[in-house]
Each structure stands twice: as C-alpha cells, then as structure tokens.
Amino acid sequence: RAEMDRLEAVFAQLAHAGHVRGVGSVDGAASTAAWLRHRAGMRVGDAKAAIECGAVCELLPAVGRDWRDGEITTGAARTIAEARVKGFDHELQACEQ
C-alpha cells in the first residue's frame, strides 16, 4: 500500500502540472478532471482530488516530499488538501511542519 501511495503522490503532481498547463483543453475537454476521466478512466471526483493534492504538494513541499517518500498516506494528503481554504494559504504554510 505504501508503494501505491508513493505512486499516487507522483501522479497527483503530474495531474496538477497538466492542469496548470491546460492539457485537457488541448483535446477539447471541459476540464482537466474530465480529460483524466476520458483518458485515464478515472472518476471525476478522484481526478479532482488528485489535482487538488498536487496543488497542495506544490504549496507545501514537505508534505509533497513526505507523500512521495511514503511517510504519509494518500488519505492524509487528501485530508490536508481538503483543509485548504481560499485566501489562507499563508496560514496553511505556517503550520506545515
């Protein structure tokens, strides 16, 4: 399971990078999550969660590193991503450790 978590961490960061670059719009998809649903067979909710987790890994590099290293689980990374409140990234970064 730890190896799966590590792979999901890498995938989340790639999904976020694709989202930032607008990968889905190149193929005419309505969103990156919709593109992942079509291209990777993912459920839209799982695709959105992966993109959000990837964004949090960019914002909180220690969380991203720990997830990729298997120190935290995918569930923990999703919990951290769900705790993100628009306009309060600085506060989230302050409590990363």
Side-chain angles (χ1 to χ4, degrees):
R1 180 60 229 183
E3 182 63 21
M4 290 170 58
D5 287 333
R6 287 190 286 273
L7 291 171
E8 286 175 356
V10 172
F11 177 80
Q13 290 176 309
L14 292 170
H16 174 66
H19 176 70
V20 169
R21 292 183 178 113
V23 168
S25 64
V26 172
D27 283 345
S31 67
T32 306
W35 183 79
L36 286 169
R37 181 187 58 76
H38 174 71
R39 291 295 208 162
M42 295 180 74
R43 295 184 309 169
V44 172
D46 290 338
K48 286 180 182 179
I51 294 165
E52 291 168 8
C53 286
V56 165
C57 288
E58 187 174 296
L59 179 68
L60 306 173
V63 169
R65 181 191 64 242
D66 288 349
W67 190 17
R68 284 188 314 275
D69 291 347
E71 298 296 320
I72 65 171
T73 65
T74 298
R78 284 187 176 189
T79 298
I80 294 166
E82 290 168 1
R84 190 175 184 188
V85 176
K86 187 174 182 171
F88 289 90
D89 283 348
H90 182 72
E91 288 80 359
L92 187 59
Q93 288 172 312
C95 69
E96 179 178 18
Q97 295 305 321

